[in-house]
Amino acid sequence: MRSLAALTLGLCALATALPATQLSAADTPSIPSRKGTSFVIDGKTGYFAGSNSYWIGFLTNNADVDLVLDHLNQSGLKILRVWGFNDVTRDPGSGTVWFQQLSASGSKINTGANGLQRLDYVVKSAESRGIKLIINFVNNWDDYGGMAAYLSAFGGSHEGWYTNTKAQDQYRKYIAEVVSRYKTSTAVFAWELANEPRCSGCSTDVIHTWATSVSAYIRGLDPDHMITLGDEGFGVPGDTTYPYGTSEGVDFVKNLDIPNLDFGTFHMYPGSCEYPLPYPTGYKSQSLIP
């Protein structure tokens, strides 16, 4: 098991308008990496605070994207976790951002102005501000399509998504498209396989085998950026009750040993999952563990 280190991505609402701030000439942009139990960002080794913004890639106004990243920069936060997916099963029409339309008769990746070009701008804006992005490829939940959209197109059950050949083939095609767009970008902190992957009642081998295979596939596309699973931390040592158990098919310790995963993630919901931590009910954070 890799050693624990702390880097928390809290859910923050930054409302005060701030002046635009660009990356200073003194900074040397580089692809982030892991060094022992620390991370390295633009030549600086340590632990870095960040936040989540699932919606930033769905904004249609470039100025709004810039404003969000200016807020983040002025707050001293270095990392932003974003949705790199937005799946639909039918074209929602003009004015709505979507990244991928899933269909058994032929799926379509939207590289247009209302598609991945919106994510392109997020990456470009982040690059100029020294912000690093964790880009996620699919949602366990139904929001913005998620695994349910794949199942609607290709059939099967949620628990079978991880071994569904048609779903996995399209998932990999989508990964290849996104990774190819940003594989040289210094704004990418890491690729994240899924948001909170679960396989309720499954053997932990299901997600472990899937994550091993997909992370190796990504490593073949991009040997430089870090990769993480995106799980919540089920199976962490400390107790045998939920959420310390593996009833959701996730074994935190086991997954940390996957060769092509560079760090683990741990989501805390003390109010609902009863972690014995001193956070108020309803607080959520994500810790990155190299």
Side-chain angles (χ1 to χ4, degrees), residues 44-63:
K44 298 176 182 178
T45 302
Y47 306 129
F48 304 88
S51 189
N52 289 275
S53 177
Y54 72 88
W55 41 264
I56 192 171
F58 312 150
L59 296 174
T60 56
N61 188 324
N62 290 348

Side-chain angles (χ1 to χ4, degrees), residues 22-33:
Q22 303 295 313
L23 189 66
S24 74
D27 293 322
T28 304
S30 59
I31 292 176
S33 61

Side-chain angles (χ1 to χ4, degrees), residues 268-277 279-284:
M268 293 180 287
Y269 298 86
S272 59
C273 289
E274 299 179 356
Y275 283 105
L277 297 171
Y279 295 103
T281 298
Y283 178 89
K284 173 187 175 181

Side-chain angles (χ1 to χ4, degrees), residues 18 54 66 73 85 122 131 151 161 220 231 279:
L18 299 168
Y54 72 88
D66 291 339
N73 197 8
F85 62 84
V122 173
I131 301 298
L151 300 175
W161 184 86
D231 61 304
Y279 295 103

Side-chain angles (χ1 to χ4, degrees), residues 120-160:
D120 290 347
Y121 190 80
V122 173
V123 173
K124 178 182 177 182
S125 183
E127 283 178 348
S128 68
R129 290 161 174 78
I131 301 298
K132 311 302 179 181
L133 306 172
I134 297 176
I135 299 179
N136 192 297
F137 294 125
V138 71
N139 200 358
N140 172 73
W141 311 105
D142 296 348
D143 305 283
Y144 300 96
M147 294 178 186
Y150 284 84
L151 300 175
S152 177
F154 305 116
S157 66
H158 184 279
E159 288 70 28

Side-chain angles (χ1 to χ4, degrees), residues 67-88:
L67 182 63
V68 171
L69 293 177
D70 284 338
H71 284 169
L72 196 76
N73 197 8
Q74 289 288 340
S75 297
L77 303 179
K78 291 295 293 183
I79 301 172
L80 187 65
R81 181 173 176 257
V82 303
W83 278 186
F85 62 84
N86 190 353
D87 304 314
V88 299

